[in-house]
Amino acid sequence: MTGPLNSGDPGDRPRPDHPHGFEVDAPLFVISVAAQLAGMHAQTLRSYDREGLVSPGRTSGGGRRYSRRDIELLREVQKLSQDDGVNRAGIRRIIELEAQVDALRERLGELTAEMNQLRDDLVESRMDAANAAANAIAGLRRDVVPWSSVGTALVSWQRPPRR
């Protein structure tokens, strides 16, 4: 986001369905607050930003604004670096792969919803076709003239003699 907070962007408005009333991607925190929330020095956040590990939103003046998601990512980067001994290139790759997994999960959800809709449409189409066939058969039966017996005459037939 390039404007100041409460600029009218829907991400800045309180949302009751999210904890604390704000979306996880709303850029809320200045760098000093973000550093305190993440448990690290502000210079570390600047370094992570320069390296592209965590890229916060910006105000029109260029100031960094961190979201709740950015804070969680900062904590994850710190954990990978300090606790797991992963170097920054490895951290960058992990972040990229997690983003790909998230995108694939979202796409899977979309495709699953589409498949379910198509399945429902197919069931409905089959029912419509069965109803149309039943109606067509019922219509044919109404058009057929009922057969009645012609009479009770008896015809006698004899085989001709053999020669």
Side-chain angles (χ1 to χ4, degrees):
M1 179 174 131
T2 57
L5 293 179
N6 298 322
S7 64
D9 185 344
D12 293 333
R13 287 188 222 123
R15 299 253 330 246
D17 57 330
H18 288 85
H20 310 294
F22 290 95
E23 291 187 26
V24 294
D25 291 323
L28 302 172
F29 308 106
V30 295
I31 192 166
S32 59
V33 174
Q36 187 176 18
L37 290 171
M40 54 185 69
H41 195 275
Q43 194 59 39
T44 306
L45 274 65
R46 289 183 187 93
S47 173
Y48 288 169
D49 187 13
R50 278 192 301 275
E51 294 179 30
L53 294 175
V54 179
S55 299
R58 300 280 183 160
T59 65
S60 57
R64 293 173 175 90
R65 293 293 185 267
Y66 290 83
S67 67
R68 288 183 27 237
R69 187 183 312 271
D70 293 332
I71 303 298
E72 290 304 316
L73 184 55
L74 287 166
R75 290 176 183 155
E76 181 66 19
V77 168
Q78 184 180 38
K79 178 187 173 300
L80 288 169
S81 176
Q82 292 179 358
D83 298 347
D84 300 333
V86 179
N87 65 21
R88 296 212 176 160
I91 292 170
R92 184 176 297 104
R93 186 68 181 135
I94 290 169
I95 291 170
E96 290 169 358
L97 290 173
E98 286 178 346
Q100 287 178 359
V101 168
D102 290 343
L104 289 171
R105 283 186 179 131
E106 184 176 334
R107 183 66 179 138
L108 176 62
E110 292 168 358
L111 290 173
T112 300
E114 183 179 346
M115 181 187 68
N116 289 336
Q117 182 62 50
L118 289 171
R119 183 179 295 135
D120 293 345
D121 292 348
L122 177 61
V123 168
E124 187 176 334
S125 295
R126 285 180 176 168
M127 288 178 11
D128 289 346
N131 286 335
N135 289 337
I137 291 170
L140 288 176
R141 289 182 182 158
R142 281 186 231 114
D143 294 343
V144 174
V145 176
W147 180 80
S148 61
S149 63
V150 176
T152 58
L154 180 63
V155 177
S156 167
W157 177 79
Q158 292 181 357
R159 176 179 281 185
R162 288 190 177 187
R163 297 186 203 187

